[in-house]
Amino acid sequence: MVAFGKKLKERQIQEWQGYYINYKLMKKKVRQHAQQIEVGTQDRRHVLKDFSRMLDNQIEKIVLFLLEQQGLLASRIAELNEQQEALQQQPDIFEISQLREAYREVGRDLLKLLFFIEINAIGLRKILKKVDKRFGYRFTDYYVKTRANHPYSQLQQVFKHVGLGAVVGAISRNLHELQEHQGSYLSIYDQPALPFQDPVVDSMKAAVDRLTHSTNFLNFLAQHALIMQEELPTFEEPVDDQKYHFISLLLNLVNTFLYMVNTYIIVPTADDYSMSLGAAATVCGIVIGSMAVAQVFSSVYFSAWSNKSYFRPLVFSSIVLFIGNAMYALAYDFNSIAVLLLGRVFCGLGSARAVNRRYISDCVPLKIRMQASAGFVSASALGMACGPALAGLLQTNFKLYKLTFNQDTLPGWVMSLAWLIYLVWLWISFKEPSHVTEESSAAQESTAEPVENDVLEKGLKQPLLLSSEDKRVIEDGDGEFDGSDEASEEARGPATSIGSAYRLLTPSVKVQLLIYFMLKYAMEVLLSESSVVTTYYFSWSTSSVAIFLACLGLTVLPVNIVVGSYISNMFEDRQILLASEIMVCVGILLSFHIISPYTVPQYVCSGLILFVSAEVLEGVNLSLLSRVMSSRLSRGTYNGGLLSTEAGTLARVVADGTITLAGYLGESRLLNVTLLPSLVICVASIVATCFTYNSLY
């Protein structure tokens, strides 16, 4: 990877070179002003005025060129419209074909202009961030508030680009009318759901979506997958449609769904199964957590394996999970807790989530990658809800030959059958993409949605400062705050070990991983001990526990819809992050057994507050992580997705271990003892969040 300044220069359209933001000059000015402030030769007020004037000049240069190009495009469209009117009187197939190609050519030129705006927007954000960093105060806050809301704001001209939307509309409408619609005289306005048929229109629409990116449910959900993007968009997108195979993508998502079902299907019955084998009920913590322990290691080798193949690791995953679930079910007849634990370990060794994520990143075309990423997250959420619900339905008891089928063993048998069927389907239908080596493909890897461009679109409502704060790291290629774009480290490739990946993390990213650890820990404690706690306090049956857990799981998608579609548009991510952390803390506090008797409403309400708040926190936290991690972590074996997976998995391991250890103190103390570490970690994450953001910004 090269420095941003070099990338900016390389990706400039040569004939427009003089109209781009002069990033090198402005960066030099930042250093000069910072030195002058340090030695006391200039005061901050003078620096503020001087740098504001320079930014105004740079933005004005961009805006005037933008208006000029918009006028040229509009003139060309007007001429083509006249030709189209003439063709309506005397249609000619050859001339219609030429006219359509002419409209496409205007569309391609418009794409260049959109790309021009996008690069300048990224450069502007980087400069504003550097000023805040080097000068030590919120210059961005001042600049955006004074410029974005002014009636003559040129900042709005760049980032609202209403005129460009009109050009896109004109090209789309006319290309649509030149298409053959089997005698239909309806326009695009009469058929809003009609898909665009022309690739140029699709490309324009995607480019405009990047620039006018506002938080919505699909974008918000897709970012949870932590499929990361390069720092700058490329005008020439890689042609990856040949690698795309819908059934293979579907199989990939089914693997995600089944694995999450496999994870949570045993939760309602794990305590009962443990007792039937002569262990304490709280050993359910080890039973549930042993899968997560194995996943810590399997995530690494599956991530490395996906550099060479997708089919073979998915086959291996299915076989191992089939064996693991069969062992889990057979443990009852063997009367062996060791076989039970070994079966869950095998299940963890079959965790192919790293492959699932990598397949979407490498083999799904850019235009549908966001939907595929959202599908990955949705499949996980659906599996989380279906697991306990399925366990609640498996309430039967019979023997077939010497094998026992009851509520404890049926989850294992059902999942073994599911993985066997999946393996057959995978073997028949999966199509291995034309896989290239990691080194040769690194330059072509990209992600679902460039996320650089929502900053000033939101900022015109005020959060440009805050959104740019949220995106502060990804705009530095090496992931460091010092803004040293010329550093030789930036020329290095992806991280080669967990240690080197960890060293790329900035303080704020480490805090966000701590938050992720905290919320996964709190959720795992709530879910894993639910059966023991509810049996002890309320004498709930397995079906009641399954219904409770399934209802919690079903809140995942509705909560993300509300947050992604509404709350994220009203508040900045930092505010939602801190508020949801506080609500998680409130949920933990309300869960403590302090006042007797401990009632069902208290447990259910506190659990719901904790779980929903943790879901909101996870969504916002991962959304931020997908944007602020170093772009060097967007590829390779040790990528950002792997780091987040390891953090979450480690949290589950620690939580399940805590439940088992707390069980030695007795079931009466289990609830409070396990909640205490959750509270401590939650308070620590809140303090770390406040300290990190206040000190950096």
Side-chain angles (χ1 to χ4, degrees), residues 384-403:
M384 181 181 181
C386 287
L390 185 58
L393 297 175
L394 302 176
Q395 302 300 303
T396 187
N397 192 349
F398 64 93
K399 273 204 167 190
L400 189 63
Y401 297 105
K402 293 183 179 181
L403 300 178

Side-chain angles (χ1 to χ4, degrees), residues 643-655:
L643 290 180
S644 65
T645 299
E646 294 290 80
T649 304
L650 186 61
R652 292 175 52 210
V653 171
V654 175

Side-chain angles (χ1 to χ4, degrees), residues 33 92 247 392 417 460 480 578:
H33 282 313
D92 183 276
I247 299 299
L417 179 62
L460 298 175
E480 296 178 0
L578 188 57

Side-chain angles (χ1 to χ4, degrees), residues 227-335:
I227 296 173
M228 310 198 30
Q229 66 283 334
E230 290 186 354
E231 184 181 22
L232 280 174
T234 55
F235 180 67
E236 296 295 333
E237 295 177 355
V239 181
D240 52 6
D241 293 63
Q242 292 181 350
K243 295 197 293 182
Y244 172 63
H245 183 235
F246 174 75
I247 299 299
S248 299
L249 173 61
L250 181 61
L251 283 162
N252 190 62
L253 297 179
V254 170
N255 183 281
T256 301
F257 169 76
L258 287 178
Y259 186 78
M260 293 303 290
V261 172
N262 211 147
T263 300
Y264 289 98
I265 193 172
I266 72 158
V267 173
T269 58
D271 60 331
D272 185 65
Y273 204 170
S274 300
M275 289 190 293
S276 69
L277 298 178
T282 51
V283 172
C284 70
I286 291 182
V287 174
I288 296 170
S290 56
M291 188 172 180
V293 172
Q295 189 179 347
V296 171
F297 303 99
S298 66
S299 296
V300 177
Y301 67 72
F302 270 113
S303 182
W305 202 349
S306 65
N307 291 328
K308 299 180 179 179
S309 174
Y310 299 107
F311 176 69
R312 287 191 292 273
L314 288 177
V315 169
F316 176 78
S317 166
S318 304
I319 294 172
V320 171
L321 280 157
F322 169 77
I323 296 172
N325 282 288
M327 293 176 67
Y328 180 85
L330 288 169
Y332 189 90
D333 293 304
F334 281 106
N335 194 30

Side-chain angles (χ1 to χ4, degrees), residues 138 215 458 462-470 566-579 620 624 627 693:
R138 298 183 177 183
T215 304
K458 284 184 180 179
Q462 208 172 5
L464 165 109
L465 161 69
L466 305 165
S467 296
S468 63
E469 288 171 350
D470 293 334
Y566 303 104
I567 295 179
S568 291
N569 286 321
M570 294 186 288
F571 303 98
E572 54 175 295
D573 288 345
R574 243 182 350 138
Q575 293 173 328
I576 303 172
L577 189 77
L578 188 57
V620 176
L624 286 174
R627 295 177 290 188
Y693 283 104

